[in-house]
Amino acid sequence: MQPWEWAIVFRGKEGFEDLAWAQQFIAGKKIRPEKAGSRFPGFIPYRKKNDKGVSVHAGSAFYDHKPITLKLYTEYGGVCGAVSKGAAGFLRSKGVPAYPIGQPGHCAFVWKHPNGHWQIGNNLGGWNWASGGAQIPWQGPVQLVMAYDSFIHHPHAEESALTYYLSFCTQKQEHVELLLREARQFNPFNYPAWQRYLDIKAKNASDRRKLALLKELAQAMPNEHNLIWHAAKSVLNIRENRVNPYELYACALGPDCTPHAEELFTRLVWNRLVGDCPEIKGVAEYKPGFTGKHLSLWTQKGKTRRMDT
């Protein structure tokens, strides 16, 4: 594992005794490592009230004001927060990086699968609806975990990282840009290299120029729609009223137009439509966390509404 992954393992709130108990609790259950992310949540009973009828929303009273441990989770249970936090703790007890994340009205967790790739456990909304920070060497939202996963598994990850760090060792701007270009050519998923490149090129640039830079990023990472949108708003700071907003949103679609990319695009379009035409809410509603074929659903609802009128 990488050092930052070990940091996630040791960053948990569980004490040594709690972790040792968890290892013994898991030992006799014969759960294959690749199934841990789906089986460990089952250790925590899903309950909205404890045996005394106290609601889980009462906080510590639900747990009789006892210190929270993995053992306590298995005894008292809880709702999605307890399930995901407990599952992540059990994974860390086995040396597997894991931590809880948010989804609309829900708590899930991310964990490193034995195949080396990161996945979401206790999942309802997927990466598109995930919230929280990315506990990886890159700063940003939790969705960057997927881009980092692509970066680290690229055959030229080390060469790209080295070239990126070398860009800080020169004062000449042309050398900085040359090294950043080399870093991106070695590995197109090197987000820090892209971020520094975009910062340089976007300085004093118009929003139209920033949009052109975003398209350059989207071409290099066509399936990283969440990263592309994060770069648009948090790195390039593109103002939607200064560009064609639908052209901006389309940067996240990519040539393959995956269902997840389509969902993000549709959400962005919906928010824009509601702002421009509030009465559209009478035709359909876009609920946070909702997944599926939104465009066909809205079309069908629109047809039904026209027939009724």
Side-chain angles (χ1 to χ4, degrees):
M1 289 199 305
Q2 299 291 318
W4 63 271
E5 293 174 323
W6 281 114
I8 293 175
V9 172
F10 294 121
R11 196 180 289 148
K13 297 181 180 180
E14 300 83 15
F16 288 119
E17 291 184 3
D18 198 18
L19 293 173
W21 175 88
Q23 289 181 353
Q24 293 178 354
F25 181 82
I26 297 169
K29 301 190 182 303
K30 298 180 180 180
I31 297 174
R32 298 198 303 272
E34 65 272 17
K35 297 292 185 180
S38 59
R39 293 288 302 280
F40 285 8
F43 294 165
I44 298 92
Y46 191 90
R47 294 176 183 149
K48 295 183 179 180
K49 293 183 179 181
N50 65 14
D51 294 339
K52 298 178 181 178
V54 179
S55 170
V56 70
H57 299 296
S60 61
F62 176 84
Y63 296 103
D64 291 327
H65 303 286
K66 297 178 181 179
I68 298 296
T69 62
L70 296 176
K71 185 173 186 285
L72 192 74
Y73 275 144
T74 63
E75 295 171 348
Y76 281 71
V79 289
C80 58
V83 171
S84 291
K85 292 175 184 177
F90 277 109
L91 284 161
R92 287 193 297 268
S93 76
K94 298 297 291 183
V96 178
Y99 62 93
I101 62 170
Q103 291 177 339
H106 181 65
C107 179
F109 65 94
V110 294
W111 68 294
K112 187 177 181 182
H113 192 276
N115 64 12
H117 298 283
W118 285 75
Q119 298 183 1
I120 302 182
N122 195 23
N123 176 41
L124 287 184
W127 291 103
N128 273 16
W129 291 101
S131 61
Q135 295 185 20
I136 58 177
W138 301 348
Q139 292 184 348
V142 68
Q143 288 92 347
L144 293 188
V145 170
M146 295 304 293
Y148 188 86
D149 195 70
S150 299
F151 167 76
I152 204 67
H153 287 91
H154 192 279
H156 298 296
E158 292 186 6
E159 296 92 330
S160 180
L162 175 60
T163 311
Y164 164 70
Y165 288 121
L166 286 174
S167 71
F168 291 93
C169 299
T170 178
Q171 299 298 319
K172 294 185 177 181
Q173 190 66 24
E174 62 269 25
H175 291 171
V176 172
E177 294 189 25
L178 174 63
L179 288 165
L180 291 176
R181 185 178 68 198
E182 289 294 315
R184 301 194 319 273
Q185 288 179 345
F186 271 127
N187 188 336
F189 296 98
N190 190 332
Y191 174 68
W194 274 104
Q195 187 175 22
R196 193 173 186 208
Y197 167 75
L198 294 175
D199 284 338
I200 293 171
K201 292 297 184 181
K203 189 175 182 179
N204 300 321
S206 67
D207 289 273
R208 287 296 309 172
R209 173 57 183 152
K210 291 179 180 178
L211 180 57
L213 290 169
L214 184 69
K215 290 180 179 179
E216 190 178 344
L217 171 65
Q219 187 176 8
M221 288 191 264
N223 295 320
E224 296 296 340
H225 52 280
N226 283 306
L227 181 148
I228 292 166
W229 186 242
H230 170 72
K233 302 304 293 182
S234 301
V235 179
L236 291 168
N237 299 308
I238 299 174
R239 292 168 291 186
E240 296 182 32
N241 62 338
R242 300 293 180 89
V243 298
N244 181 333
Y246 302 105
E247 183 182 3
L248 172 62
Y249 305 153
C251 290
L253 285 175
D256 297 334
C257 192
T258 64
H260 299 293
E262 180 186 344
E263 191 280 321
L264 176 61
F265 172 77
T266 310
R267 187 198 321 171
L268 296 171
V269 170
W270 168 258
N271 291 334
R272 183 73 186 190
L273 288 175
V274 170
D276 293 342
C277 184
E279 57 268 26
I280 198 173
K281 279 191 173 182
V283 178
E285 182 181 1
Y286 192 105
K287 296 181 179 179
F290 183 67
T291 58
K293 294 186 177 296
H294 305 84
L295 290 176
S296 59
L297 175 64
W298 292 346
T299 301
Q300 186 61 41
K301 286 191 174 184
K303 289 179 179 177
T304 303
R305 182 175 176 82
R306 285 196 299 271
M307 291 174 61
D308 292 340
T309 56

